[in-house]
Every structure is written in structure tokens, then in C-alpha cells.
């Protein structure tokens, strides 16, 4: 009996120790810590409009700070010439970041185990790779400098496994794409900036993780500049830093609604002098912001109360360095995993427009008679891809070579341009997209009718191709 009791006690102790060990192994040693990008450089000297202020930051390092004991810091990027853009996995166990091991090397994506703090290289390209973020399925999305005949020179979005395998390109337009985040609905929200045929103002673009359904999410006033990665709050707000114009160096904390991003903008810090560089929502409901009161000051981390729009206490700062951004090591609800319609065995995608006469101007002003368009021209990067006659109801139906950037403009019967080209589009293999009109209100929903164009076979783009041998992708 005595021996059995000893064995029972030993079993209980071993079980308890096993549970403690299991819990400790499943938790990051940095739970609840702020992961901070710190640099001795001066952000004012960088090109903030193009995203250079967070893409290629010289001599930056990533540190961990306990917000309750800010004097205790731990350098996580020891051994790197420069490292920035930390992003934590939804389970809080891993961190992606962009870094240069040596000054002469290109920027690449790295991953760190937050328990043992060991890092390994994810990408090994000859081009720079930055701005990593975790997808809900565990893959990584990042921005890669891309130069070819289609994109010319830009930054395209790619995804891969965290061991660097299965590289997939997601965007195919002549844009610079950077500072990506993942929304709770599973879509990517990225800052995108058109480079051809002319440089345009940056805006937020939303797309699925497979590169489909790319569309404008938010665009500020003319000349406005987006200066930070967007962050989503638990109450359905999207936060980011924006200037009122590219010539205005003052960055403000701006909030928009997830449900109506184009009509809900609020400048939360308009009455606060100084400059904001980044914002991150905390579980308490308050925000952590990177802020400095004057150009001569250093950026430091402060609490910000969104209910009263006032700065709170300083969380962390340094007299000899700037704090550019911060993220929190915490376990969060994993964003939704979205299914993919991409089929690489298919060479094309389908685009259906309901009525090219449905424009934002025609809806806003019913008294004015606008020029009548009867054709569309599909423009490629270097040349036209063809002119197509639209149906009597203004609809058209196209089959476009996949992963090919194109724009559409409307023409009258004499070939004169009625409306200038839309933003750059592309279709992934087997993608099906639809639009209500041309330059229409993005919040407009389609009429409940069947466009005439859908009753015919789609027009192949480029039009010089009479037939494409592939799987059938037409709508039934």
C-alpha cells in the first residue's frame, strides 16, 4: 500500500511537471512584450511618400521591450547590419522581419522562433525583399523589387512557405506595393502606388491572398501620402498614418471604417502638434503611437486614447535613437482562410462589365448629357490590346490572358476618348471578375438584370488571338 501511494504521488508530480513544461513550451518567452524597430538614422531624410521610410532603413535594429519595465530591453536582431518591419504570427510564436545580414547584401525576409529566438532565412533573391506578413494558412507575403518588360521596375507582392519554398507572384501591375497587412476577413491590405504611365498618389488596395479580386480600398485627397502599414482594431476601424499632402511632412493618425472606407475618414490627431510615424492598437483599446513633438526631437512610443484623442504617457523612448514602429507579441484570433479560384492550368480570366455608361459623374449629375461611348479600348503596358464594340446596354464580356496588366478606356463611335483609362487591372488564371460600370462609385451594387454581353462568347484579349487552347472557363 505504501509503495502504491509513492507511485501515485510520483505520477501526479510528473503529470504536473509535464503540464507546466507543456504550457511553457507552447508560450513565447516574449508574450506581452513590445517588438520595436529602433534606428539612429533620421526618418526626415528618407522619402516617406514612396515608402522608403520603412522599406530600406539603414542601421535599424529590432528590440523587445517590457511595457511595464521599459528599462529592460532585449536585442533580437543581433548580428544583422539592419533589421525592421517585425510581424508576429497569429499564435504569437513566430516573427517575420526584413533584414540585411551585411551592409552590402540585399534585404531579405527572415523568420524567428519567439521561444528560442533563433532566426532563419526565408527568401534568397538577388532582388530586395521587404514588408513581410503572415497569411492565415502560415505562408508569408512580402514585397519584392521586380524588373521586367511588363512591370518595368516596381515592387510586386509574392507569397511563399516560411521555408522559402513554393514562391508565387500575386500582383502583376506596374505599381509599387508595400506595407501589407492581413485583415480579419483574410484579405490583404497593401499600399500601392502607380508608376506607369505616370506616378500617382499612393492608395490602399485590397486583394485576396491568391492575387484575385484586387480593388481600391481607400484613397485620400489629391496629394495625400500614406506613411505606415494599416492596422485593424477589434471594433472595425482601420488605422494608419497619412499626410494631407505630399508636401506636408506632418503625419496624422487616421481612422476609417472597415464597412465604408471611402466615406468614413477621421483625422484623430489634427489638433496635436508634432508628427506621427506609426500606430498599433492594443488589447486595452488604447493605441501605441510613434510620435515626436518637433523635428529636433526623437520619435518615441506613447499611449494614445482614441476616445478623447489625447496623448498619454510615454511608453518607451531613447535620447539617441528613433522608435519607428512597434507590434505586440500576443495570440490573436487567426484571420479567415479564404478559398482560391486560381487554376494554373487555365491561361485566362473573365471580366464582365454591366454598363459602361454607369459612371460616377453621370450618377452625380442627372441633368447633364454626357458623351455617348460605344466602344472600349484595352491598353497594355506598351501597346493597345484591342478595341471592342460594347452591346446596346453598354455591357461587355472579355476573356483576358492571365497575369497580364491592362487598362480600359471608353471611346465614341469615331474613336474619340470619352473617359480616360481606369486603374491597372489583371486577372489570375481562372479568375472571374465583374464591374458595374466605368469609373463608377466603388460602393455601387449592380442592377438585377442579365447583361446582353453574357449571352455571347467572351471577346479574347489581345484581340489578335482568335482562339486559346485551355480548360473551359466560360460561365455556364
Amino acid at each position: 500500500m505504501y509503495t502504491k501511494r509513492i507511485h501515485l504521488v510520483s505520477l501526479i508530480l510528473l503529470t504536473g511537471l509535464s503540464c507546466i513544461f507543456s504550457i511553457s513550451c507552447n508560450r513565447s518567452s516574449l508574450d506581452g512584450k513590445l517588438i520595436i524597430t529602433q534606428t539612429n538614422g533620421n526618418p526626415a531624410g528618407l522619402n516617406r511618400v514612396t515608402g522608403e521610410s520603412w522599406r530600406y532603413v539603414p542601421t535599424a535594429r529590432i528590440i523587445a521591450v517590457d511595457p511595464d519595465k521599459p528599462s529592460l530591453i532585449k536585442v533580437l536582431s543581433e548580428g544583422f547590419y539592419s533589421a525592421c518591419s517585425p510581424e508576429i504570427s497569429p499564435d504569437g510564436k513566430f516573427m517575420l522581419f526584413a533584414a540585411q545580414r551585411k551592409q552590402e547584401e540585399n534585404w531579405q525576409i527572415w523568420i524567428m522562433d519567439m521561444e528560442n529566438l533563433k532566426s532563419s532565412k526565408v527568401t534568397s533573391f538577388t532582388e530586395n525583399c521587404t514588408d513581410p506578413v503572415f497569411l492565415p494558412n502560415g505562408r508569408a507575403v512580402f514585397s519584392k523589387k521586380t524588373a521586367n518588360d511588363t512591370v518595368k521596375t516596381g515592387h510586386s507582392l509574392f507569397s511563399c512557405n516560411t521555408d522559402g519554398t513554393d514562391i508565387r507572384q500575386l500582383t502583376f501591375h506596374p505599381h509599387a506595393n508595400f506595407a501589407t497587412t492581413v485583415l480579419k476577413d483574410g484579405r490583404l491590405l497593401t499600399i500601392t502606388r502607380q508608376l506607369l504611365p505616370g506616378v500617382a498618389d499612393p492608395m490602399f488596395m485590397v486583394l485576396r491572398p491568391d492575387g484575385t479580386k484586387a480593388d481600391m480600398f481607400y484613397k485620400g485627397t489629391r496629394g495625400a501620402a500614406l506613411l505606415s502599414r494599416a492596422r485593424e482594431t477589434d471594433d472595425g476601424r482601420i488605422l494608419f498614418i497619412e499626410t494631407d499632402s505630399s508636401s506636408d511632412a506632418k503625419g496624422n493618425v487616421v481612422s476609417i471604417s472597415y464597412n465604408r472606407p471611402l466615406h468614413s475618414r477621421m483625422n484623430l490627431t489634427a489638433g496635436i502638434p508634432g508628427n506621427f510615424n506609426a500606430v498599433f492598437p492594443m488589447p486595452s483599446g488604447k493605441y501605441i503611437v510613434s510620435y515626436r513633438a518637433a523635428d529636433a526631437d526623437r520619435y518615441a512610443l506613447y499611449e494614445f486614447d482614441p476616445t478623447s484623442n489625447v496623448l498619454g504617457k510615454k511608453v518607451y523612448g531613447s535620447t539617441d535613437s528613433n522608435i519607428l514602429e512597434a507590434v505586440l507579441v500576443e495570440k490573436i484570433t487567426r484571420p479567415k482562410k479564404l478559398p482560391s479560384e486560381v487554376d494554373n492550368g487555365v491561361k485566362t480570366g473573365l471580366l464582365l462589365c454591366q454598363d459602361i455608361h454607369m459612371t460616377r459623374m453621370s450618377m452625380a449629375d442627372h441633368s447633364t448629357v454626357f458623351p455617348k461611348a460605344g466602344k472600349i479600348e484595352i491598353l497594355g503596358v506598351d501597346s493597345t490590346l484591342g478595341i471592342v464594340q460594347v452591346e446596346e446596354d453598354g455591357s461587355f464580356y472579355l476573356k483576358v490572358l492571365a497575369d497580364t496588366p491592362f487598362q480600359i478606356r471608353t471611346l465614341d463611335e469615331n474613336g474619340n476618348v470619352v473617359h480616360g483609362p481606369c486603374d491597372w487591372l489583371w486577372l489570375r488564371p481562372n479568375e472571374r471578375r465583374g464591374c458595374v460600370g466605368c469609373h463608377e462609385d466603388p460602393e455601387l451594387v449592380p442592377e438585377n438584370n442579365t447583361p446582353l454581353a453574357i449571352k455571347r462568347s467572351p471577346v479574347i484579349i489581345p484581340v489578335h488571338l482568335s482562339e486559346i487552347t485551355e480548360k473551359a472557363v466560360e460561365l455556364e
Side-chain angles (χ1 to χ4, degrees), residues 92-396:
K93 294 181 179 180
F94 296 93
M95 177 180 73
L96 288 170
F97 62 100
Q100 289 175 290
R101 175 68 83 178
K102 299 179 180 179
Q103 183 176 4
E104 64 273 14
E105 294 180 351
N106 288 326
W107 286 83
Q108 297 299 320
I109 307 304
W110 295 72
I111 188 170
M112 176 176 286
D113 187 319
M114 301 303 279
E115 179 64 32
N116 58 31
L117 304 185
K118 293 182 179 180
S119 59
S120 58
K121 202 173 186 181
V122 176
T123 62
S124 298
F125 291 101
T126 56
E127 303 87 1
N128 287 315
C129 298
T130 60
D131 305 303
V133 66
F134 283 99
L135 285 176
N137 62 4
R139 288 171 62 85
V141 167
F142 56 94
S143 176
K144 179 171 102 52
K145 190 170 184 179
T146 305
N148 55 42
D149 291 339
T150 300
V151 176
K152 305 304 182 183
T153 299
H155 286 76
S156 301
L157 294 186
F158 286 75
S159 73
C160 68
N161 295 324
T162 53
D163 62 0
T165 59
D166 193 20
I167 303 288
R168 304 177 191 176
Q169 186 171 348
L170 306 181
T171 62
F172 297 85
H173 53 176
H175 279 224
N177 301 289
F178 48 93
T180 305
T181 193
V182 178
L183 298 174
K184 297 180 189 298
D185 66 10
R187 295 182 298 168
L188 303 176
L189 185 63
T190 188
I191 296 177
T192 187
R193 192 166 189 252
Q194 178 182 300
L195 302 177
L196 292 175
V199 177
D201 292 335
M203 66 179 183
F204 277 115
M205 177 180 70
V206 69
L207 68 159
R208 287 179 168 239
D210 59 1
T212 62
K213 306 299 187 286
D215 207 353
M216 180 178 69
F217 187 78
Y218 167 83
K219 189 173 185 178
T221 57
R222 183 180 297 273
L226 301 170
L227 304 182
S228 79
R229 194 189 300 259
R231 301 293 181 183
E232 187 175 9
T233 68
D234 290 334
D235 60 354
R237 307 297 300 179
I238 309 295
L239 308 172
F240 51 92
I241 307 300
E242 183 183 38
T243 65
D244 291 332
S245 68
S246 56
S247 60
D248 181 9
K250 175 175 167 49
N252 283 300
V253 178
V254 170
S255 166
I256 58 176
S257 168
Y258 168 88
N259 293 322
R260 297 203 70 190
L262 294 171
H263 303 280
S264 57
R265 182 185 185 275
M266 293 190 298
N267 186 337
L268 304 183
T269 56
I272 301 176
N275 194 34
F276 292 84
N277 194 70
V279 56
F280 187 86
M282 298 292 284
S284 64
K286 294 185 178 181
Y287 307 156
I288 292 289
V289 295
S290 169
Y291 167 78
R292 66 181 181 186
D295 289 348
D297 297 336
R298 299 288 189 174
Y299 281 100
L301 295 184
Y302 291 83
E303 281 189 350
F304 179 82
D305 188 345
T307 60
S308 56
N309 291 351
V310 296
L311 280 173
K313 67 178 182 179
K314 180 187 284 190
V315 177
Y316 180 76
S318 173
T319 58
D320 59 356
S321 64
N322 286 289
I323 309 303
L324 300 185
E325 62 182 342
V327 295
L328 182 69
V329 181
E330 61 172 337
K331 183 178 180 179
I332 62 171
T333 301
R334 188 192 67 198
K336 294 180 180 178
K337 291 183 180 180
L338 298 176
S340 175
E341 64 181 311
V342 172
D343 182 347
N344 289 315
V346 176
K347 299 177 183 178
T348 62
L350 294 172
L351 175 64
L352 172 67
C353 175
Q354 191 171 54
D355 184 1
I356 64 171
H357 307 119
M358 185 69 70
T359 68
R360 192 175 304 181
M361 290 184 294
S362 64
M363 294 187 64
D365 185 1
H366 298 286
S367 61
T368 301
V369 178
F370 293 94
K372 189 75 170 179
K375 303 176 182 179
I376 58 169
E377 183 177 14
I378 298 88
L379 304 171
V381 173
D382 296 314
S383 63
T384 182
L385 301 179
I387 295 176
V388 176
Q389 184 78 37
V390 301
E391 300 294 333
E392 291 182 6
D393 63 352
S395 63
F396 64 80

Side-chain angles (χ1 to χ4, degrees), residues 47-63:
N47 189 331
R48 295 161 64 85
V49 178
T50 61
E52 300 298 325
S53 59
W54 61 84
R55 177 179 291 140
Y56 306 126
V57 184
T59 63
R61 66 176 187 171
I62 299 174
I63 63 174

